[in-house]
């Protein structure tokens, strides 16, 4: 939630994280995994690390870049990178510029 103008809102049975009303991540009620929005190329890169820890959602949403990531199987740096990438995909450029590297 330290990303500029990010907010948490309900999304069906999940929590969603949004910027300017656009979802960049969701967390289910079990909270053992989360889902982020990536481009197909980003998805391929992140998922190549470990398919058991990070993989496309197994439906049409996965083909659109929605990617499931398991909290217990990824390091904190990986988690930060993938969430920041997802945020950058939906946030306005002026907000993305505020987060830097």
């Amino acid at each position: 939630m330290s990303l500029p103008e990010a907010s948490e809102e309900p999304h069906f049975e999940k929590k969603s994280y949004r910027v300017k009303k656009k979802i960049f991540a969701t967390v289910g009620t079990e909270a053992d995994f989360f889902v982020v929005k990536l481009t197909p190329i980003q998805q391929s890169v992140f998922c190549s690390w470990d398919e058991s820890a990070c993989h496309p959602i197994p439906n049409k949403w996965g083909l659109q870049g929605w990617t499931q990531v398991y909290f217990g199987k990824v390091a904190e740096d990986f988690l930060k990178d993938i969430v920041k990438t997802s945020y950058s995909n939906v946030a306005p450029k002026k907000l993305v510029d505020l987060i830097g590297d």
Side-chain angles (χ1 to χ4, degrees), residues 40-94:
I41 292 171
Q42 292 165 341
Q43 186 182 62
S44 174
V45 170
F46 278 106
C47 293
S48 68
W49 174 75
D50 181 352
E51 280 273 333
S52 71
C54 178
H55 58 84
I57 296 293
N59 59 31
K60 68 178 183 172
W61 295 103
L63 296 174
Q64 296 175 17
W66 290 98
T67 306
Q68 190 166 330
V69 183
Y70 292 88
F71 286 112
K73 294 186 175 187
V74 297
E76 187 176 336
D77 286 344
F78 183 94
L79 179 124
K80 287 179 181 179
D81 286 346
I82 202 166
V83 170
K84 186 175 168 181
T85 300
S86 181
Y87 172 90
S88 297
N89 288 337
V90 301
K93 184 175 179 349
K94 68 179 183 166

